């Protein structure tokens, strides 16, 4: 499983994600990716985590293994939910969390991990519709 966080610069404070409790996975974090960089870094990803970066149809279409997109915060308007729905990709968010608030950083990162873990258990949480 490959997980990529595409914009940790948009998470105030320290973007320190806890370990995911699964046997094997790859984790990449980038301060900021834009345009073609997003598609190039995400093409092998099973999970994309984005606080603000636009996860549009071009990124979704190129990411052939993509199964889950997590909006790192309450806002998920930067994700093309229609394109995700067409591919059967689950989109979740972290309700009540503001990535721009440094006091929420630790909770936000923990909830991102909880959201990925719940999806892997087959019981996704905080799912948003198309």
């Amino acid at each position: 499983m490959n997980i990529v966080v595409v914009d940790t610069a948009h998470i105030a404070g320290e973007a320190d994600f806890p370990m995911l409790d699964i046997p094997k996975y790859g984790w990449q974090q980038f301060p900021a990716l834009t345009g073609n960089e997003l598609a190039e870094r995400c093409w092998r990803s099973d999970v994309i985590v984005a606080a603000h970066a636009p996860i549009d149809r071009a990124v979704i279409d190129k990411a052939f293994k993509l199964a889950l997109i997590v909006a790192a915060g309450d806002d998920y308007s930067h994700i093309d939910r229609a394109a995700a729905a067409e591919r059967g990709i689950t989109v979740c968010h972290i309700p009540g969390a503001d990535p721009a608030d440094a006091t929420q950083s630790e909770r936000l990162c923990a909830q991102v991990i909880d959201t990925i873990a719940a999806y892997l258990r087959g019981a996704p949480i905080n799912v948003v519709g198309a």
Side-chain angles (χ1 to χ4, degrees):
M1 162 162 297
N2 294 309
I3 302 166
V4 63
V5 184
V6 298
D7 57 358
T8 57
H10 289 280
I11 300 174
E14 190 146 346
D16 187 19
F17 293 90
M19 296 293 291
L20 189 58
D21 189 20
I22 60 174
K24 186 176 179 183
Y25 65 95
W27 184 279
Q28 292 184 301
Q29 282 183 212
F30 299 96
L33 297 174
T34 59
N36 289 338
E37 289 178 316
L38 275 166
E40 289 302 316
R41 297 292 187 178
C42 295
W43 73 274
R44 291 181 345 129
S45 297
D46 299 283
V47 179
I48 295 173
V49 179
H52 180 71
I55 306 303
D56 60 15
R57 183 174 297 277
V59 173
I60 291 168
D61 285 348
K62 189 155 186 173
F64 69 97
K65 294 173 38 178
L66 188 60
L68 175 65
I69 302 169
V70 180
D74 201 26
D75 179 25
Y76 48 87
S77 63
H78 57 286
I79 298 170
D80 187 336
R81 295 180 314 280
E86 287 173 18
R87 289 257 321 271
I89 297 166
T90 302
V91 177
C92 299
H93 72 127
I94 310 302
D98 178 4
D101 184 343
T103 64
Q104 295 183 24
S105 180
E106 185 177 338
R107 180 178 69 86
L108 174 72
C109 291
Q111 286 186 306
V112 166
I113 295 300
D114 290 347
T115 300
I116 295 169
Y119 174 82
L120 293 174
R121 287 191 308 271
I125 56 175
N126 305 316
V127 176
V128 296

